[in-house]
Structures are given as structure tokens and as C-alpha cells.
């Protein structure tokens, strides 16, 4: 299922990034709604704010199989960590028909770049989460579909079963420096 799902998500994200100026200041809900709508357009059984022991940002079902994702704006590393904890300790239960899920990380503005944030997230924050013993992370490596995404193999805290989590950073930046952009009303700062 995820071998089909992840390339579809990557295409949707690529389309969104090509209009990143629309998402630079967008809310978490707005971005998640766009992703969910695009998944529905591709005939996935996708639901926004699905009731899964709380309101999971995106849930996709295929038969009895469930894939749940939480989304967080990368305003702070703590905000993203809380999203991971929400997903793994509240929404996803790691049952036999739901052995993988996702964490969308929306990176906006000029202060943080996708690569820099993900190095901090993977190299610093995930080891801290593992050390806290709340979530047992077995391994984390770049995703074979998209190397800016990462896959963590872990033991789900509720079911104690194997669980695969895809960390999906999405960097929305738009700061053109060309003459046309400098002269456009849209980009002038008066």
C-alpha cells in the first residue's frame, strides 16, 4: 500500500511546491486540506480530521488497512515532537492493519531550510525521543522514494508491534530576487 501511496504524496507535494508562494504563510489546516483533497482527487479514501482517538490530520483507508498522518508547522522542534507524540501515542494504535503512518513537517519562511531542519530533527531530536523511552526507535534512514524524507522503523508504544513512520518535510519558500519580482506589487514591502 505505501509503495503506491508515497510516490503519490511526493507528486502532490511537488505540485504544491511549484506554487509555494501560496503556502508560505498558510495555516497547517489549509496545507493539510490541500494534500487531503489532492489524495481524494487521486481516488484515495482520504479524510481530514478523522476521529482516531482525537482528530488525526489525515487518514487514508484501503479496505481494512489504515494509514494515519499528523501534520505540524516547524515553528519549533518542540511543535514537531508534539506532533510525533500525538500520532504515535494518541491516533495510531499500531494494530495489525495499520503498521505505518506519516508525519508531515511544514517548513515555512526564511529562517529555516528543509535540509537544516531535518538534520536537527533526525540527528538530535529523534535520539532524545528514543532516550526518553516513550518511543523505541530501531532505525531511521532516508526514504528510497524521496531521500529528503526519512523512514523510522520503531516499536509502536501501544501495540509493541513493528511500525514504520515516514517523516515528510515540505519546504515552502518564495523569496525571488529578480527585477520583475522586485518591481511587482505582490513582493514590495512598503
Amino acid at each position: 500500500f505505501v509503495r503506491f501511496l508515497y510516490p503519490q504524496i511526493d507528486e502532490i507535494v511537488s505540485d504544491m511546491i511549484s506554487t509555494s508562494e501560496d503556502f508560505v504563510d498558510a495555516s497547517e489546516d489549509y496545507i493539510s486540506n490541500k494534500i487531503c483533497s489532492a489524495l481524494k482527487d487521486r481516488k484515495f479514501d482520504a479524510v481530514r480530521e478523522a476521529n482516531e482517538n482525537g482528530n488525526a490530520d489525515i487518514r487514508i483507508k484501503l479496505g481494512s488497512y489504515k494509514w494515519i498522518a499528523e501534520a505540524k508547522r516547524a515553528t519549533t522542534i518542540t511543535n514537531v515532537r508534539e506532533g510525533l507524540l500525538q500520532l504515535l501515542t494518541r491516533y495510531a494504535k499500531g494494530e495489525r492493519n495499520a503498521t505505518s503512518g506519516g508525519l508531515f513537517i511544514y517548513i515555512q519562511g526564511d529562517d529555516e531550510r528543509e535540509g537544516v531542519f531535518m538534520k536537527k530533527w533526525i540527528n538530535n531530536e529523534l535520539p532524545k525521543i528514543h532516550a526518553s523511552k516513550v518511543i523505541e526507535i530501531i532505525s531511521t534512514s532516508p526514504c528510497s522514494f524521496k531521500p529528503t524524507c526519512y523512514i523510522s522503523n520503531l516499536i509502536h508504544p501501544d501495540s509493541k508491534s513493528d511500525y514504520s513512520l515516514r517523516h515528510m518535510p515540505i519546504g515552502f519558500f518564495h523569496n525571488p530576487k529578480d527585477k520583475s519580482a522586485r518591481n511587482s506589487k505582490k513582493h514590495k514591502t512598503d
Side-chain angles (χ1 to χ4, degrees):
F1 174 69
V2 295
R3 284 190 295 259
F4 179 68
L5 173 63
Y6 291 160
Q8 297 295 312
I9 288 173
D10 295 343
E11 285 180 19
I12 290 166
V13 168
S14 180
D15 289 347
M16 292 172 72
I17 288 172
S18 49
T19 59
S20 61
E21 66 185 53
D22 296 339
F23 300 98
V24 169
D25 297 316
S27 71
E28 179 183 302
D29 285 338
Y30 179 80
I31 298 168
S32 296
N33 283 335
K34 291 291 186 181
I35 292 170
C36 191
S37 292
L39 286 164
K40 287 179 183 179
D41 290 346
R42 292 171 184 238
K43 307 302 181 208
F44 283 96
D45 181 7
V47 176
R48 266 284 289 138
E49 298 292 334
N51 186 1
E52 292 288 341
N53 302 299
N55 292 329
D57 282 316
I58 298 174
R59 182 193 66 210
I60 299 171
K61 290 179 101 176
L62 178 64
S64 68
Y65 191 82
K66 257 192 303 195
W67 183 88
I68 299 172
E70 179 62 10
K72 287 294 174 191
R73 292 176 72 200
T75 52
T76 65
I77 204 105
T78 301
N79 194 46
V80 177
R81 180 179 58 241
E82 289 302 312
L84 175 76
L85 294 174
Q86 276 179 284
L87 175 66
L88 294 175
T89 64
R90 187 191 311 179
Y91 307 141
K93 294 301 181 186
E95 66 255 54
R96 192 172 51 88
N97 63 336
T99 56
S100 63
L103 179 65
F104 288 103
I105 303 169
Y106 305 145
I107 304 168
Q108 299 163 291
D110 291 325
D111 297 335
E112 194 77 70
R113 294 289 189 237
E114 192 173 315
V116 173
F117 183 88
M118 289 309 287
K119 280 182 185 170
K120 286 192 262 186
W121 177 247
I122 298 300
N123 297 333
N124 300 339
E125 198 59 30
L126 287 185
K128 288 179 192 174
I129 292 168
H130 176 73
S132 73
K133 302 197 186 293
V134 173
I135 299 168
E136 184 181 348
I137 301 170
I138 307 301
S139 65
T140 300
S141 56
C143 178
S144 61
F145 296 111
K146 186 177 182 184
T148 57
C149 294
Y150 288 82
I151 301 285
S152 286
N153 296 304
L154 52 96
I155 303 299
H156 194 280
D158 288 344
S159 68
K160 303 300 182 204
S161 300
D162 292 340
Y163 191 86
S164 176
L165 173 70
R166 189 178 198 224
H167 311 259
M168 297 170 282
I170 307 173
F172 295 112
F173 305 102
H174 188 71
N175 192 9
K177 303 292 185 199
D178 61 291
K179 181 180 178 182
S180 175
R182 288 190 311 269
N183 292 332
S184 78
K185 288 180 186 176
K186 187 174 187 177
H187 299 291
K188 282 193 178 191
T189 54
D190 295 324

